[in-house]
Amino acid sequence: MRILSPAIRLLTLLSVLSLGYAAVLEQTEGKPEPVPAEEYPLYDQVIDKKFLTSETKLVIIERLTVMRLYPEQEGTVSVETFRENEYFEGRLPPELVREFVFKNQKPARLEARFSIGVRYRFVSGGEAEEPEVSLAPVPALFSRAVPMQEAPLQKAPPVVDRLAFSRVAFTLRNDHALVYVENNRPDGTGAGFLVWLRRTGKDWAIFDTEVVWTARRRIPGEG
């Protein structure tokens, strides 16, 4: 049996430690952290109540969470952003605003944990990452609602393209939550919403919604 010298054993150990450090560094710096599992039921609630209809066949979702509240915003969201715009007429709990700002200083990675009852696909940088994901049927507590941005008589499109989310913020008592979602359509129209949720018992429900921005297709001849 060959016995390695102390110098060789030391070099081997340093090499292993170096590789391990590199792997950790790549995980922490090269790849955004995954969104925790407890946030997905609230994403499901928002998607179901605000965007799904009986005609929806596929939902397209941005893989990384966003750090802003409107497309032209420079930098990340801040407490001043909420103060200046007085979202929800300033009724949001201050600790909820602070938590939202803290959580959304860097992007996080969404994973295949949605339970929305229809297929969904992740996109990143405009490119589809993987085939559609099909999960369990939508829970009975969800009811399909007409999306708020659609006219009552407009035929619902079979594809919701595309949704981008922020991280979900919670109060310390876990009784209020806040999330931002935007719908950027291929035709250039869309909107961004802050969604305020409250918990009763074990169930979360949408309490109020603030429209942050809207974009509509320009009609030729309009000033």
Side-chain angles (χ1 to χ4, degrees), residues 52 55-60 116 118-121 132-133 157-161:
L52 294 190
E55 303 298 322
T56 304
K57 305 299 181 185
L58 175 67
V59 178
I60 298 177
I116 54 177
V118 299
R119 293 178 300 149
Y120 61 94
R121 171 181 289 175
E132 295 88 346
V133 179
V159 178
V160 178
D161 184 6

Side-chain angles (χ1 to χ4, degrees), residues 149-205:
Q149 69 272 28
E150 291 181 358
L153 299 179
Q154 182 179 355
K155 181 176 176 59
V159 178
V160 178
D161 184 6
R162 74 190 54 179
L163 301 181
F165 289 96
S166 70
R167 291 285 307 278
V168 180
F170 299 92
T171 53
L172 291 175
R173 295 180 60 183
N174 201 37
D175 55 352
H176 291 260
L178 183 67
V179 62
Y180 169 76
V181 56
E182 63 183 32
N183 180 202
N184 286 301
R185 301 192 187 101
D187 62 2
T189 63
F193 312 95
L194 277 169
V195 184
W196 182 359
L197 301 99
R198 285 185 175 179
R199 184 171 62 87
T200 302
K202 296 182 179 180
D203 298 327
W204 286 96

Side-chain angles (χ1 to χ4, degrees), residues 14-126:
L14 290 175
S15 177
V16 171
L17 291 176
S18 177
L19 290 173
Y21 175 76
V24 172
L25 190 64
E26 180 183 0
Q27 183 176 4
T28 57
E29 293 187 0
K31 295 182 180 180
E33 296 179 355
V35 173
E38 61 266 21
E39 299 185 23
Y40 289 90
L42 288 90
Y43 292 137
D44 293 341
Q45 182 81 268
V46 171
I47 293 174
D48 186 85
K49 297 297 184 182
K50 300 300 183 183
F51 298 99
L52 294 190
T53 72
S54 59
E55 303 298 322
T56 304
K57 305 299 181 185
L58 175 67
V59 178
I60 298 177
I61 302 171
E62 288 282 355
R63 170 69 79 174
L64 297 183
T65 60
V66 296
M67 302 175 289
R68 52 176 169 71
L69 293 182
Y70 45 90
E72 66 274 17
Q73 180 179 337
E74 296 181 0
T76 57
V77 65
S78 66
V79 173
E80 287 69 28
T81 306
F82 283 83
R83 289 174 181 165
E84 292 172 359
N85 293 278
E86 296 185 339
Y87 297 124
F88 300 102
E89 299 178 341
R91 294 179 292 120
L92 287 170
E95 66 171 289
L96 185 60
V97 173
R98 292 193 295 269
E99 173 76 358
F100 184 89
V101 170
F102 174 77
K103 276 190 169 182
N104 289 290
Q105 292 303 299
K106 58 182 180 179
R109 180 180 173 85
L110 291 166
E111 298 183 320
R113 292 177 177 269
F114 293 88
S115 299
I116 54 177
V118 299
R119 293 178 300 149
Y120 61 94
R121 171 181 289 175
F122 290 114
V123 294
S124 182

